[in-house]
Every structure is written in structure tokens, then in C-alpha cells.
Amino acid sequence: MQQVFVMKIPLASPVFYSEMKKAAVDALCSERFVLGESVFRFEEEFARYCGVDYAVSTSSGTSALRLSLLALGVKRQDHVITTPASFVATANVALHANAVPVFADIDIKTYNVDPELLEKKVSGKTRAVIPVHLYGFPAEMDSILEISREHGFAVVEDACQAHGAEYHRRKVGSIGDVGCFSFYSTKNMTVCGDGGMVVTNDEEIARVVAKLRDCGRASHYEHDILGFTCRLNTVNAAIGRVQLRRLEGWNERRRAIAKRYGVLLSDLDEVVLPPNGGSIVKPVYHLYVIRTRFRDELKAWLEQNGVQCGVHYPLPIHLQPIYRKLFDYKEGDFPKSELLCKTALSLPMFPELEKQEIEYICEKIHEFFGRQT
Ligand SMILES: Cc1ncc(COP(=O)(O)O)c(C=O)c1O
């Protein structure tokens, strides 16, 4: 009987190497558990990596975004524009600041906010915009900055999926007024736990975010603003420092994998490939997302063949139950984001993904569409 060969390939593969273990144990043994030296070193190194003056670490990407809005003075009834094609936290943070999230639809070719549609949503109440560099592909920052300057509102980059991605040779996160990162366990770099970072060139924003994340402390037992406990733990910062040193190499590898997928899948009419980088944008492929109208069937087929896939995201934010309840949104309100959610399929993407594994995945996709490689 002929043996059927099935590989087991995960969607992502978070790492915890011995150098990270050592850094973690060293930090636990020799530093304060909270706001130890590793936290400040990690912040300095991350700021340098992004090419900004200040970086302030936080307990998550969500808290990085929320504290940024608060530090910018976003308040009750202000409008914060973002896209419904993101993780729900991108819009939640506007609500956390008592502001109103206002959605603008995406350009389906880049998966990111369409600047023309964004401009249509600007009003006298607009206080900030949160462009998302979705899947690690930089948003169209030139147009977004132009609109923000013309109308006088802040730009908070959601770079939670885009550590190291570049736009006109600048790292994303360093282009708007503030940039926010997540170190959640499947991101391009992690801290082996939850964590986040705010980056900025504005000293005052950095100072306020640092206070907000630490209970609004003016001194140890004096609190002059309403703060939160949103600090990054020392042990996680120590791990983050090690991972940051590997980030460029890991991103290079992700780009090479994306290129290979692109070559092997380019002949399939039913598959739309993600946008490529070029002279302006250098993506980091946090996720490798293809689009097909046969998404659910293809996902089931690949999983049957040992290939774990993901859907980012099955629902656009405006159709999440909480948003429908609060704002009465319905299907058809943001058709391109809805189309993305119905057709997007994330294929395995992590630096250690091997050549044979990529070939196997693409072979299975060809088999699904009834084509031979
Ligand atoms: C685009 C985007 N924004 C915000 C967040 C929130 O980050 P965290 O999970 O660290 O709170 C995430 C993380 O999953 C994300 O992908």
C-alpha cells in the first residue's frame, strides 16, 4: 500500500533559545522585578533601532495605544479614525479614552486604510488617526501625514504587526507623532509574554506615557495624573533585548520566505498574493496572507494535510458583536474590509520555516486547485 506523507507545519513558531533563558534568569536574580535596569536598556535600544528619541515600554500593545491617545489629550467625544480591518484593540483604545472610533475602509490591494476614504471621515471632532501597518505591510504614510497636517490631528501608528518594516527607509512607528508596538507571543519579536512599546520624538508625550503606565507617579507616593499599572516586567524586557538583536535577521528570512511563496503560487488565478515591497516600502510579513474566494475550503484542505492556517480576521471590527451593539453597524458598511475578512488566509510564516515545508504547502495548494506544480 502506498504511504501518504503528511507534514505537520504550524502557522507560527515562537522561540525561547538558551540565550533568552539566560537573560531572563540573570534579570530575575540580579534586578528589581519591576522597572529593573533591563527595562530602561530595552527602551534605549528599541528607540535607537526605530531611529527615535524616546521609547517607553508598556504591558501590551493595547496599553501602548491607549496610553498614547491619553497622552495626546484625546478625550470624551473626540473622534479617532482607524480601519475596521485590524485586531479589535485598535478601535477599542478609542473607546477606552472615552472617544468615538470612526472607521474608514481599506484599499484591498494593500489591506491598509485608503487615504481618500480616510479624508472623507475627517470632521471638526477628529483628534487622531490610527493607521495600521497590517500584516507587516506599511500603510501609505505620505498621504496620511499630509491629511493630518492639513486638518491638524495626530497620527498614532499601530505598528503592532510591523516591527522593523520600513517606509522611505524609515522604520514604521517613527513616522507619525507616536508609534505603538506589541510583543505578543506570535509577533516578529516577542518578550515571551505580553508587552508593548510606545516610540516618539516628542519628549512630553514620552514623559506622560511613562507616568501613565506607572500609576501616574510624580514621586514614589505622589500621583498627579490618573495613571494605570501598565509596566513591562523586567524579565520580559531582558528577553526582549535578546530578541531585538535577532529581529533584522528574522525579518530578512520572512522576506525570503514570502518571495518563495510568491514564485510558487504566482500561476494560480484563484489566488491573490499579498503586496510586494519596492523602493518605498519594505514589509516584514508578520503574516503571509493570500486571498481566495475558496478560503474556507482551502483552509480545511490544508489543515487536513497538516498545514496549520489562520484567518486574520474572521470579522472586521465594525461587525464584532460589541461594535454592532454600540453603533448599530451592519454588513455592507465597509465592503472592502468585509471582503478581506471573507477571503483572507494566513499561510505558515516564521523564520525557521524550511524550503521543503514551503514547497509542500504550495504543492498542496496546487493540488487543491487541481493543478500540478
Ligand atoms: C494590529 C494590532 N493592534 C493592536 C494589537 C494589540 O496588542 P496586544 O495584544 O499586545 O495588546 C495587536 C496584537 O495582537 C495587533 O495585531
Side-chain angles (χ1 to χ4, degrees):
M1 203 171 74
Q2 201 194 348
Q3 275 236 290
V4 182
F5 176 61
V6 176
M7 278 195 183
K8 281 259 171 255
I9 309 174
L11 175 64
S13 176
V15 293
F16 186 51
Y17 301 143
S18 55
E19 54 179 331
M20 293 160 208
K21 276 185 207 158
K22 182 175 179 325
V25 173
D26 286 352
L28 285 170
C29 294
S30 64
E31 295 180 38
R32 294 167 55 182
F33 292 162
V34 174
L35 293 184
E37 192 189 334
S38 292
V39 171
F40 301 103
R41 289 206 172 196
F42 184 36
E43 290 174 347
E44 275 165 34
E45 289 159 6
F46 201 82
R48 203 174 318 132
Y49 176 76
C50 290
V52 294
D53 292 339
Y54 308 98
V56 183
S57 58
T58 57
S59 54
S60 67
T62 305
S63 52
L65 287 162
R66 175 172 57 146
L67 301 189
S68 298
L69 291 186
L70 294 176
L72 283 162
V74 171
K75 57 182 187 327
R76 189 171 292 281
Q77 300 305 330
D78 283 343
H79 285 190
V80 176
I81 307 178
T82 190
T83 122
S86 184
F87 181 60
V88 70
T90 309
N92 283 353
V93 293
L95 290 167
H96 293 158
N98 289 314
V100 182
V102 172
F103 295 116
D105 212 349
I106 55 167
D107 174 344
I108 194 72
K109 290 199 285 302
T110 65
Y111 310 139
N112 286 324
V113 72
D114 179 334
E116 268 182 40
L117 299 177
L118 188 159
E119 190 161 24
K120 289 191 180 138
K121 294 299 174 99
V122 174
S123 74
K125 291 187 174 178
T126 306
R127 194 63 195 259
V129 59
I130 309 181
V132 184
H133 306 298
L134 197 69
Y135 311 146
F137 191 84
E140 239 187 271
M141 291 306 293
D142 281 346
S143 316
I144 295 168
L145 287 177
E146 204 180 304
I147 300 166
S148 77
R149 284 196 196 108
E150 191 180 323
H151 297 275
F153 54 76
V155 177
V156 177
E157 292 175 73
D158 182 337
C160 286
Q161 300 189 358
H163 318 64
E166 291 178 17
Y167 183 83
H168 285 303
R169 295 181 179 273
R170 291 171 70 186
K171 296 275 189 250
V172 301
S174 72
I175 302 162
D177 299 280
V178 187
C180 297
F181 293 85
S182 162
F183 301 121
Y184 177 75
S185 309
T186 53
K187 303 296 191 211
N188 288 29
M189 66 162 286
T190 81
V191 293
C192 295
D194 277 315
M197 192 75 83
V198 173
V199 301
T200 183
N201 285 314
D202 186 318
E203 187 180 359
E204 183 59 11
I205 291 174
R207 194 186 65 77
V208 177
V209 170
K211 261 177 123 166
L212 285 169
R213 69 146 182 212
D214 189 27
C215 308
R217 278 203 165 88
S219 63
H220 196 64
Y221 284 121
E222 194 188 1
H223 309 263
D224 60 357
I225 57 172
L226 188 62
F228 308 85
T229 301
C230 287
R231 298 170 296 242
L232 179 68
N233 288 317
T234 302
V235 61
N236 297 108
I239 295 167
R241 292 185 64 205
V242 179
Q243 294 225 356
L244 180 59
R245 294 200 283 272
R246 298 224 175 196
L247 179 61
E248 283 290 294
W250 284 338
N251 283 345
E252 240 356 284
R253 182 73 199 121
R254 283 174 184 269
R255 280 190 282 267
I257 293 167
K259 199 165 166 191
R260 192 77 195 125
Y261 269 134
V263 169
L264 294 177
L265 298 175
S266 62
D267 61 327
L268 291 171
D269 298 339
E270 287 293 352
V271 172
V272 182
L273 298 176
N276 284 318
S279 57
I280 296 177
V281 302
K282 203 169 166 191
V284 288
Y285 297 98
H286 167 54
L287 294 166
Y288 189 83
V289 179
I290 59 169
R291 289 202 306 112
T292 170
R293 63 194 167 118
F294 301 106
R295 189 265 311 278
D296 294 338
E297 297 87 337
L298 177 58
K299 181 172 187 286
W301 162 256
L302 286 173
E303 290 189 341
Q304 214 178 300
N305 283 283
V307 179
Q308 190 189 22
C309 299
V311 172
H312 299 89
Y313 296 89
L315 277 183
I317 301 175
H318 67 287
L319 296 182
Q320 289 289 350
I322 174 74
Y323 281 81
R324 277 188 190 247
K325 198 158 95 189
L326 289 174
F327 300 100
D328 212 17
Y329 284 122
K330 56 185 184 324
E331 258 179 62
D333 285 342
F334 299 97
K336 294 193 195 111
S337 297
E338 290 167 29
L339 178 65
L340 178 64
C341 291
K342 282 188 187 127
T343 55
L345 182 69
S346 308
L347 300 181
M349 172 55 89
F350 51 92
E352 287 166 342
L353 190 63
E354 288 178 13
K355 190 167 163 273
Q356 305 88 288
E357 292 175 314
I358 304 167
E359 281 162 8
Y360 172 83
I361 296 163
C362 294
E363 218 173 272
K364 291 294 158 196
I365 296 175
H366 276 87
E367 261 176 54
F368 175 82
F369 286 108
R371 300 275 299 269
Q372 296 302 313
T373 31

